[in-house]
Amino acid sequence: MPTISVMYPAMPATLGDVLPYARVAENTSGRRLWLGQSFTIETHTVFAALTGMGIDVGFGTAVTLMPLRHPMTAAVNARSIAALSGHTYISGLGPGGRELQRRVNGRPYDKPVTAARHYIRMMRTLLDGSMATDDGPWQTEGIEIAKLDTPAVEIGLGVLRLPMARLAGEAADWAITWLTPLSFLRERLVPAMEEAARAAGRPTRPRVASVVHCALDRPGRNLQQISLKAVGPHLIAPHYTDMLNQAGIPVDRSDPAAGAQLLIDHNLFATGTADDIAGTIAAYHQAGIDDVIVNVCGLHMHEGPGAAIRDLTAITTAFARRSTR
């Protein structure tokens, strides 16, 4: 059944920052809190601490960056959170940009999709209790991790364009999208996943979780600035602007402010009343998206966490009300 869940929209500095979002997540249909890559308090450490505080939700990453940890470390991190939380854990992964790859690894991946294929294959082999070898970037000769009975670890892959969508269809449990227009998902990415899954002999495509940015249209609120705060760096990144242009949203890397307004105009940054935004979320579900991750990042950064939590609560409440009609 399609669900909604919650994104904590920043790099956490204290657990108190994250706790209100986790409380909202406890009352959503997905009962899951997502974090991205953190360079403040490390993401898996946040999840472990929240579990110790009694937060009863599943967790997921959208996404953590492959260059920062060996696949064996990623497997142990993921399984640790599944064991501690008692819930299925979604380990969402992505190769990051070429400059990050170069700075961390000394050189970028020759082929990021191939590197991701090696990475998730090694992770899955280890998590399944088998010995993993790799002739790709990690040059590993037979490693394994001790067996441990835990809830499932499901591997997610950050999906932006068709090559990664095909890999997700071939090998991932989840495809996780960010700033991806619904039409592009429905007409290009999901069919590519389905085709790749069939070619790989899988019974179904991976489930899809889509991060949807949103903010209520309140009096005096500058929605363009909120949109820009949320996704400004993405609107100057070549891989994101290429995807958006492929999807028919003519953003220009030289003018991210205009791009932020285009996202609102195309309802990619969802605004309006709480009921309007709930309707947008429902449209994702109707298009076959399995989990919509509600992200109030722009509000959190522009107006502060109090305003962000008010809108997040209003949106999730409106969606719950809609679902019971």
Side-chain angles (χ1 to χ4, degrees), residues 16-253:
D17 295 339
V18 188
L19 193 59
Y21 289 86
R23 294 295 188 200
V24 176
E26 286 184 310
N27 293 306
T28 61
S29 53
R31 292 184 58 81
R32 189 173 303 278
L33 178 70
W34 299 77
L35 268 71
Q37 178 67 57
S38 176
F39 296 101
T40 51
I41 302 176
E42 199 277 328
T43 300
H44 299 87
T45 305
V46 173
F47 292 154
L50 289 171
T51 295
M53 296 175 70
I55 296 296
D56 184 23
V57 296
F59 299 103
T61 52
V63 295
T64 51
L65 301 176
M66 290 161 36
L68 300 181
R69 52 177 59 82
H70 189 280
M72 183 175 183
T73 305
V76 173
N77 288 160
R79 196 181 62 176
S80 298
I81 301 306
L84 292 170
S85 69
H87 292 278
T88 297
Y89 179 70
I90 302 174
S91 180
L93 306 160
R98 288 179 61 83
E99 182 61 17
L100 173 78
Q101 296 164 20
R102 184 189 68 78
R103 288 177 180 272
V104 174
N105 292 338
R107 56 176 291 181
Y109 298 132
D110 293 331
K111 297 180 178 179
V113 175
T114 300
R117 179 178 287 108
H118 281 277
Y119 198 102
I120 63 178
R121 181 185 299 153
M122 187 186 297
M123 268 192 77
R124 176 50 59 205
T125 301
L126 292 167
L127 289 164
D128 287 345
S130 299
M131 184 173 290
T133 58
D134 179 66
D135 58 358
W138 293 276
Q139 296 290 316
T140 299
E141 294 185 13
I143 58 172
E144 57 187 336
I145 58 178
K147 291 180 172 56
L148 184 67
D149 185 20
T150 73
V153 172
E154 297 174 343
I155 297 176
L157 190 62
V159 168
L160 189 62
R161 293 174 287 188
L162 288 173
M164 210 62 94
R166 295 187 186 103
L167 176 57
E170 171 192 329
D173 300 306
W174 287 84
I176 302 168
T177 71
W178 178 284
L179 205 62
T180 310
L182 183 54
S183 60
F184 194 68
L185 274 164
R186 183 177 54 237
E187 297 164 14
R188 303 285 296 281
L189 296 184
V190 170
M193 293 177 213
E194 292 171 342
E195 181 181 354
R198 285 193 298 269
R202 303 181 73 187
T204 60
R205 66 160 171 82
R207 285 162 288 173
V208 181
S210 291
V211 178
V212 174
H213 295 269
C214 46
L216 270 65
D217 186 2
R218 297 186 186 273
R221 178 170 277 177
N222 189 329
L223 291 170
Q224 182 186 27
Q225 282 300 308
I226 292 168
S227 174
L228 186 63
K229 282 282 188 181
V231 296
H234 301 85
L235 291 170
I236 60 174
H239 50 313
Y240 275 96
T241 54
D242 176 66
M243 177 273 292
L244 289 166
N245 278 275
Q246 287 185 43
I249 301 179
V251 297
D252 184 334
R253 289 176 59 200

